[in-house]
Amino acid sequence: MTPTQLAPRFFIAVAVILIFCKAVAWLLGRVGQPAVVSEMLAGVLLGPSLLGLVLPDVKDALFPTALLPVLYVVGQVGLVLFMFQAGYAFGAHRVTGLAGTAGLVSLAGVTAPLVLGVALVLVTADAVPMRADGTSLGVSAAFVGVALAITAFPMLARIITERGHAGTRHGTLSLASGALDDMVAWIMLAVVLAFASGRAGPAIVTAGGAVLFGLVLWLVGRRVTTALMTSPRLNDNARVLGTVALLFLVAWYTDEIGLYAVFGAFAVGVVMPHTANTDRVVDTLTPVAATVFLPLFFTYSGLRTEFGLLGSAPVLLFAVACVTAAIVGKFGACWAAARVRGESQGVALRVGALMNARGLMQLIALNVGLEAGIVNASLFTVLVVVALVTTMMTTPLLSWIERREARRGREVHPPSLAVAK
């Protein structure tokens, strides 16, 4: 297709994606699901799992093969802006006071799902076709383990704020643990991607480039971003322009060294100074990313998710095992770690429920793995199911915990009975 033929296809595809995502968000919002769940599900429904199954000609007309690279690139813009906001939110939640408990909860929430994921792949290696061509068993196992270890920190922060839990013990502990969890998980993912190349050259470039990037951020990153946000010679428009240019420059560099754009954008967000000017820049960029660009990324991911692959008994059983390992490894381990540190049952359950959500962060990791060639279609679909299930169960779990505590409170302190006259 020529660019003049592709442009109108792009416009109608974007219109359909945005309207459909909004409709699904409205429906699921009535049962308390956050917008990110709706957009994840909407993206899957627009792909071969539903639209391609029911109306294949419509799906092919809306999303021709030539359009997919365009959706990918525009979706990457949304991811860069989103990960920048996630990094900025991460920097705002310092681990103070609860450092010991947050550290143990984070360690448990990374180690348990990592070990369970690796063990699951190793045990089922000969029975389930989960390895991409040319990918070693060790790399596949490590990738699944890291994918299960990820926590949806930005969504976790949003749920805590929307439900009025900011400042509570479980809210503060979850934010601190989630921030540590994601930092460790993204570092591990970068290590897996470096080893996945199977050649010393790319791994050295990635490792050396990452070290150089870290040194530049450490030595001059904070100074540059502080100057950008505090210089009296710049207005808000100039700051937005400077931030976007910096983000895209860093995204280019981290992509070139094999570290991927999302890592660079997240790192820039972390070193941004927390000022009123920065808040306005983030508030300007985030709605555009969340409303327009991210749904395109979800749809691009959905177009590569084929629930029909779950019709194979081995793949379906692997998916069930993967979901179970994800929940036990994250919810169970985080709950247990909080209890070991002396937290109450209510706090520990809420921390486990919040840490268990994978959300968009796991979907980003899956797409990185798919682009790197270490994830095949079956594994991609299975891990999308994990992301959907663990994210969708978060708000119902929190509501159940609240009802449970309210019911127990009434049992311990029953209302006084009115005296019959």
Side-chain angles (χ1 to χ4, degrees):
M1 297 178 71
T2 66
T4 52
Q5 293 172 324
L6 200 55
R9 296 293 188 95
F10 174 75
F11 293 136
I12 188 63
V14 171
V16 169
I17 291 167
L18 296 182
I19 293 170
F20 188 68
C21 284
K22 190 66 177 177
V24 176
W26 178 79
L27 285 172
L28 292 187
R30 298 173 70 87
V31 293
Q33 291 292 347
V36 66
V37 172
S38 307
E39 291 173 348
M40 287 171 67
L41 186 59
V44 170
L45 296 179
L46 286 172
S49 298
L50 181 66
L51 184 60
L53 190 65
V54 179
L55 299 169
D57 292 339
V58 173
K59 182 236 164 198
D60 291 340
L62 274 176
F63 308 112
T65 303
L67 183 64
L68 298 186
V70 180
L71 289 179
Y72 174 77
V73 172
V74 179
Q76 288 295 301
V77 174
L79 285 184
V80 165
L81 297 178
F82 174 82
M83 290 299 287
F84 164 68
Q85 185 270 337
Y88 186 65
F90 169 85
H93 297 288
R94 304 297 182 186
V95 182
T96 56
L98 294 172
T101 303
L104 185 62
V105 169
S106 178
L107 178 63
V110 169
T111 305
L114 176 67
V115 171
L116 289 175
V118 169
L120 182 60
V121 173
L122 294 179
V123 168
T124 61
D126 296 328
V128 187
M130 287 294 139
R131 268 195 289 165
D133 292 339
T135 302
S136 69
L137 179 60
V139 168
S140 291
F143 181 85
V144 171
V146 171
L148 298 188
I150 288 173
T151 287
F153 173 74
M155 195 191 83
L156 178 154
R158 184 172 177 179
I159 290 175
I160 287 172
T161 301
E162 289 179 352
R163 294 179 73 95
H165 295 171
T168 62
R169 187 168 184 84
H170 67 267
T172 304
L173 179 57
S174 297
L175 287 170
S177 303
L180 288 172
D181 192 313
D182 263 4
M183 180 179 67
V184 173
W186 284 112
I187 291 172
M188 289 194 302
L189 181 58
V191 172
V192 172
L193 292 171
F195 277 104
S197 65
R199 302 190 307 273
I204 292 172
V205 169
T206 300
V211 170
L212 178 62
F213 179 59
L215 287 174
V216 172
L217 276 183
W218 178 265
L219 296 174
V220 302
R222 181 74 69 176
R223 296 178 192 174
V224 170
T225 55
T226 299
L228 179 62
M229 290 299 137
T230 59
S231 174
R233 292 177 293 180
L234 299 176
N235 58 24
D236 283 348
N237 289 337
R239 292 189 183 95
V240 169
L241 179 63
T243 300
V244 172
L246 177 62
L247 281 174
F248 285 9
L249 181 63
V250 170
W252 163 80
Y253 173 77
T254 48
D255 255 341
E256 285 292 312
I257 65 171
L259 199 57
Y260 293 89
V262 292
F263 295 103
F266 184 85
V268 172
V270 171
V271 300
M272 274 284 175
H274 287 263
T275 66
N277 288 336
T278 317
D279 289 341
R280 285 196 298 273
V281 169
V282 173
D283 290 343
T284 299
L285 295 175
T286 300
V288 178
T291 307
V292 178
F293 293 124
L294 276 183
L296 305 187
F297 169 75
F298 285 122
T299 302
Y300 179 76
S301 300
L303 290 171
R304 301 193 290 183
T305 302
E306 301 178 48
F307 281 164
L309 295 172
L310 299 177
S312 164
V315 175
L316 180 59
L317 290 174
F318 182 83
V320 172
C322 223
V323 170
T324 303
I327 295 171
V328 171
K330 185 70 76 168
F331 179 89
C334 291
W335 166 82
R339 291 291 284 162
V340 166
R341 290 288 297 183
E343 299 297 332
S344 68
Q345 182 77 302
V347 168
L349 285 172
R350 286 183 175 91
V351 168
L354 287 164
M355 293 287 286
N356 186 52
R358 269 73 174 183
L360 175 59
M361 304 300 274
Q362 187 177 49
L363 211 55
I364 294 172
L366 295 185
N367 277 271
V368 169
L370 195 60
E371 293 303 317
I374 61 176
V375 174
N376 64 13
S378 296
L379 183 57
F380 187 87
T381 298
V382 165
L383 292 177
V384 167
V385 171
V386 172
L388 282 169
V389 171
T390 58
T391 306
M392 292 181 74
M393 65 187 286
T394 302
T395 49
L397 258 179
L398 290 173
S399 298
W400 173 79
I401 293 167
E402 290 170 0
R403 290 194 302 271
R404 174 180 176 273
E405 291 194 339
R407 185 170 60 251
R408 291 198 170 188
R410 288 194 298 270
E411 291 172 356
V412 174
H413 304 288
S416 56
L417 299 176
V419 179
K421 293 183 179 179

